[in-house]
Amino acid sequence: MGAVTEIRVPDIGDFKDVPIIEVMVKAGDRVQPEDPLISLESDKATMEVPAPAAGMVKELRVKVGDKVSEGSLILLLESGAAEQAAAPAAAPKTAVSAPPAPTSAPSGVAEVRVPDIGDFKDVPVIEILVKPGDTVKAEDPLITLESDKATMEVPAPLGGTVQEIKVRVGDKVSQGAVVLTLATSSAVAQPSAPTPPAPGAAPPAPATTAAATPAPTGAIDEAAFVLAYAGPGVRKFARESGVDLGRVKGSGDKGRILKQDVEAAAKGAPPTAASGAGVGVDLLPWPKIDFAKFGPIETKPLARIKKISAANLHRNWVMIPHVTNHDDADITDLEAFRVQLNKEIEKSGVKVSMLSFMIKAAVATLKKFPDFNASLDGDNLILKNYYHIGFAADTPQGLVVPVIRDADKKGVVEIAREMGDLAKLAREGKLKSEQMQGGCFTISSLGGIGGIYFTPIINAPEVAIMGVCRSFWKQVSPDGKQSSWRFVLPLSLSWDHRVVDGASAARFNNHFGGLLADMRRVLI
């Protein structure tokens, strides 16, 4: 019987209480140095803890869902005499150091990659904030990226010394692109990639989710494979099994692809539907047409924001069963008050639009109908006790949705001022990602353009969106006897039929319109 070693979580920077999202081994499994044991996921990165030495898993001490920090016991590893000679023994009850690695990938060298930055791709590097030899701590900024929508900093996932910068100012990067190498006490957070294969040799399995080495066969769609939501160990297993991750439905949290999903796909079993995912449909291929043979044409690339929005809108439209209710709100008195208010605060430089009042009305209506201030999570409805309202802002590059946070705690003048600031940043392409996140409900206003009604597409994971068009004068007769001209605002409420029913939507619209007709009701 060989020696038994305690394998513990090594130095992972300042991360603490990080959830385990996958356990990749079981008792009795034999592992080699650098084989992944467990996968962790913080709010910054997905990290795998590798085996520091060869041996047999004797006993697991953790399970999926447990939260671990540096030094937490993962498992007991039994190693034979030969394995002990080949690998250094780990000190019991201390963090296990990584074993010596090939000279091409020195021990303790981690590749720092661009983390999850949403749907942004090919984002230019506008500033490099460190140089080789600099010592950095976890969360220290390394580089600055600037997209059409936001400026973002890529932070260090753990502490160490900058060894080599892999990017230059002007380079375009996406999620998973290598930024630099970092000499640390452990390369656990982001393992160094293997040496590229010699010509004609089979390509190695990728070390991280961002690696996009050629597939062993032509059956794998590399673009879909790279975008699939899976950890490095699962990606490696999928490569070895010849499974295209782009065609696998994940059964893990938020649709994450697990090893068992890949195993099922390799056996030809139908993939497990991800939580909240829609039913797969085989669509006809998009028609290929040579438009030039019908007349003169001009090819114009889509703006970056429109390309990003297209994918999100298509997903939301396909996945969410939309229904839209149309109604009119009488804003005759409110419009008169708005004009008077703007005269009173003219010197402040703030101009209150009808949208500011709509945001306050939205907050009050969400409080009365909490199912609209929610998000679906599998079979559960997450009810939110905060009120962050998004508004669609038109920019030269396309539509973006900044978010007014804690709108319930702000007055209409403060909301108007903040809307103006956010809209200005949006037009200049300087919105930060956090200024477009966390929304509970969105208002899309075409008031300055025209139209009467339309069907706005829900901004997932929200469950409803209010569309409004240009106000107009309308002759109405509430009692059927006398009529009068009233200034009305067209409302178009799109809602997710999985969460909301028609009666609730009608009541929501009626209440929202009633508040605009008499804003004093917001105080009730």
Side-chain angles (χ1 to χ4, degrees), residues 62-373:
V62 292
K63 62 183 183 299
V64 172
D66 287 354
K67 293 184 177 181
V68 295
S69 304
E70 178 183 346
S72 297
L73 180 61
I74 300 171
L75 54 82
L76 302 180
L77 188 69
E78 182 179 355
S79 56
E83 291 161 341
Q84 293 179 57
K93 300 183 180 180
T94 59
V96 179
S97 299
T103 54
S104 58
S107 175
V109 176
E111 285 187 338
V112 177
R113 298 176 180 266
V114 176
D116 181 5
I117 53 174
D119 293 321
F120 295 107
K121 295 178 183 177
D122 298 328
V123 184
V125 177
I126 63 169
E127 189 176 5
I128 297 175
L129 307 171
V130 294
K131 62 183 182 298
D134 284 356
T135 299
V136 297
K137 302 186 297 293
E139 301 302 315
D140 282 354
L142 303 177
I143 63 172
T144 303
L145 312 178
E146 185 171 65
S147 72
D148 293 338
K149 294 172 67 176
T151 299
M152 301 165 278
E153 288 184 346
V154 174
L158 70 170
T161 303
V162 176
Q163 188 176 63
E164 182 182 0
I165 307 290
K166 296 286 189 177
V167 293
R168 302 188 304 271
V169 172
D171 285 357
K172 294 184 177 181
V173 297
S174 303
Q175 178 181 342
V178 178
V179 175
L180 52 82
T181 55
L182 197 63
T184 69
S185 58
S186 169
V188 172
Q190 297 187 358
S192 179
T195 303
T208 70
T209 56
T213 52
T217 69
I220 291 180
D221 180 344
E222 286 297 330
F225 193 101
V226 171
L227 291 174
Y229 185 26
V234 172
R235 291 175 179 276
K236 179 179 178 181
F237 180 68
R239 292 278 188 190
E240 293 170 348
S241 304
V243 173
D244 187 352
L245 287 181
R247 298 178 179 273
V248 177
K249 296 291 187 182
S251 60
D253 183 41
K254 300 179 182 177
R256 185 180 182 85
I257 300 172
L258 307 179
K259 186 177 180 181
Q260 54 263 37
D261 300 324
V262 177
E263 290 173 338
K267 295 175 182 177
T272 305
S275 175
V279 179
V281 178
D282 291 330
L283 299 176
L284 291 173
W286 194 260
K288 296 288 186 181
I289 299 174
D290 181 8
F291 297 102
K293 69 181 181 181
F294 302 113
I297 64 170
E298 178 184 355
T299 301
K300 178 182 177 182
L302 278 175
R304 167 185 254 337
I305 291 179
K306 290 186 177 179
K307 286 192 288 186
I308 294 170
S309 298
N312 288 331
L313 292 170
H314 180 256
R315 175 202 61 198
N316 296 350
W317 184 253
V318 171
M319 302 289 284
I320 301 173
H322 283 64
V323 184
T324 306
N325 283 33
H326 303 294
D327 212 334
D328 292 336
D330 185 342
I331 59 169
T332 309
D333 296 336
L334 182 58
E335 174 62 11
F337 173 70
R338 186 188 71 84
V339 172
Q340 178 61 34
L341 177 62
N342 278 331
K343 289 180 180 178
E344 294 173 3
I345 63 171
E346 186 175 3
K347 293 182 179 180
S348 71
V350 178
K351 186 174 182 180
V352 177
S353 69
M354 186 58 63
L355 185 54
S356 302
F357 291 102
M358 284 188 274
I359 288 175
K360 291 300 291 184
V363 169
T365 310
L366 291 173
K367 288 182 177 180
K368 185 173 180 63
F369 300 93
D371 281 1
F372 285 79
N373 192 27

